[in-house]
Amino acid sequence: MTRALVLGGTRFVGRAVVEALLPSFEVSVLNRGTRPLWDPRIVQVVADRCDAASAHAALRRDYEVVVDVSGTEPRHVRNVLDTPAVAGAVRYVYVSSASVYRRGPAGPPFREGDPDGGDPAWGGYGEDKAECERLLSGLPGLTVLRPPYVYGPHNTEARESFLWARMLAGQPIFVPGEGRTRIQFCHVGDLARTVAAACAGTLAPGTYNVGGPGTCTLTEYLDLLAEVAGTGHRLVHVHGEDVPARSYFPFRDLELTLDTTRLGRAGSGACTPLADGLRGTLAWLRAYGSLTDEPTEQEKTWRATTR
């Protein structure tokens, strides 16, 4: 059985990737070992990839495939690049982000050949992801996947869960501007299946945007959340650039949409309709997660300063 190493592998995207790989690969995960593994087939490799010595000591075994879901800073990549685990891999799959694209006159939807390097609007995250891509660019068999907003079971970001909680509690939803900003989503299961296709070699190496079918405005998204939950919603529109959207809303007031034609032509496009994915996510949250209408610390601060 092919040996695969997942850098990360216990939270959200990493967990979904591991589950997609387990039927066909011998899967090891590298992380700090602070969270229990949920499947006895998974091999635990404990190391802190922020520490080069720790990573080098742990990554002495050869793997045919390496999947990187936890590389968010350049040092994360530098610390593993020349280890035997990475040097001997036939394929390296890096889960990047649509935040690597720089906004220009053409604007979204972004295509793989558009200028990248990271957009400062994402507070350094996109720039760091772009630098990680650059450091990996010389690896043979490299596949880079750039999703927009990822959602689904085990999401560690309080996005859909936060909005649902407020709707179900009858609390208002503060929306940036008129809610016309257009965004796109990718179900975590679709992203994981795309990773698995790259690991199996059925998706050729290269750079691909990974996004679900269709886009929506912020208002359309909120309408869909309410429909899925069978509840109403009360929207309060917030105007003024001096109030950052992320201080009261779980998304930036920036259009984030992708052209996913390249991945579709390769036969590995994301295919879960947003409504279906949200229904499954809400069912999971009600069974295993949590829905709380407690405002975030950012929202508490914003509301206190705007009374």
Side-chain angles (χ1 to χ4, degrees):
M1 187 175 283
T2 302
R3 295 189 300 275
L5 172 68
V6 179
L7 303 176
T10 58
R11 304 181 72 194
F12 193 32
V13 173
R15 183 183 180 116
V17 166
V18 169
E19 290 178 348
L21 293 178
L22 276 173
S24 305
F25 293 83
E26 176 190 307
V27 181
S28 298
V29 297
L30 178 134
N31 48 53
R32 289 175 294 178
T34 56
R35 296 179 181 84
L37 300 179
W38 68 97
D39 192 302
R41 293 173 292 176
I42 306 169
V43 178
Q44 176 81 67
V45 181
V46 178
D48 182 355
R49 67 183 300 187
C50 292
D51 182 331
S54 175
H56 278 251
L59 297 179
R60 296 185 179 277
R61 183 184 180 185
D62 291 335
Y63 297 89
E64 288 92 342
V65 176
V66 175
V67 180
D68 190 346
V69 297
S70 64
T72 58
E73 302 174 23
R75 62 174 175 165
H76 295 161
V77 172
R78 292 192 189 99
N79 289 347
V80 302
L81 265 181
D82 58 351
T83 61
V86 172
V90 177
R91 298 184 183 91
Y92 194 108
V93 183
Y94 179 61
V95 180
S96 186
S97 165
S99 64
V100 302
Y101 290 111
R102 286 191 176 274
R103 293 169 193 278
F110 297 113
R111 297 168 178 83
E112 289 87 349
D114 286 347
D116 54 28
D119 195 313
W122 298 96
Y125 176 78
E127 293 162 318
D128 283 346
K129 278 288 197 178
E131 177 63 11
C132 289
E133 287 190 18
R134 189 192 67 78
L135 291 170
L136 293 166
S137 61
L139 290 180
L142 174 67
T143 299
V144 174
L145 304 177
R146 295 171 173 172
Y149 292 112
V150 183
Y151 75 104
H154 299 283
N155 195 350
T156 54
E157 296 287 339
R159 288 174 177 155
E160 58 268 20
S161 61
F162 170 73
L163 293 168
W164 267 323
R166 293 191 66 79
M167 290 178 185
L168 292 168
Q171 296 294 317
I173 307 294
F174 298 100
V175 186
E178 295 302 317
R180 298 193 184 103
T181 298
R182 189 160 289 277
I183 55 177
Q184 188 173 6
F185 293 88
C186 180
H187 190 275
V188 68
D190 287 339
L191 178 57
R193 284 186 287 274
T194 305
V195 170
C199 291
T202 56
L203 177 65
T207 299
Y208 300 91
N209 289 334
V210 189
T215 65
C216 58
T217 66
L218 296 179
T219 298
E220 290 168 344
Y221 173 65
L222 294 168
D223 290 346
L224 184 55
L225 288 179
E227 178 185 332
V228 167
T231 187
H233 58 46
R234 180 159 54 97
L235 306 185
V236 177
H237 296 278
V238 179
H239 299 274
E241 295 182 359
D242 56 328
V243 183
R246 283 290 285 124
S247 66
Y248 59 88
F249 192 70
F251 303 95
R252 287 174 171 81
D253 192 18
L254 294 171
E255 181 172 343
L256 186 64
T257 58
L258 302 174
D259 183 327
T260 60
T261 303
R262 179 178 293 179
L263 187 62
R265 287 174 178 165
S268 299
C271 59
T272 301
L274 183 56
D276 293 346
L278 288 174
R279 288 188 192 96
T281 301
L282 181 58
W284 182 87
L285 281 167
R286 283 174 163 159
Y288 304 106
S290 63
L291 286 169
T292 174
D293 62 350
E294 179 66 21
T296 64
E297 291 303 315
Q298 287 179 319
E299 185 184 0
K300 289 177 182 177
T301 300
W302 177 76
R303 290 170 67 178
T305 58
T306 53
R307 285 176 178 170

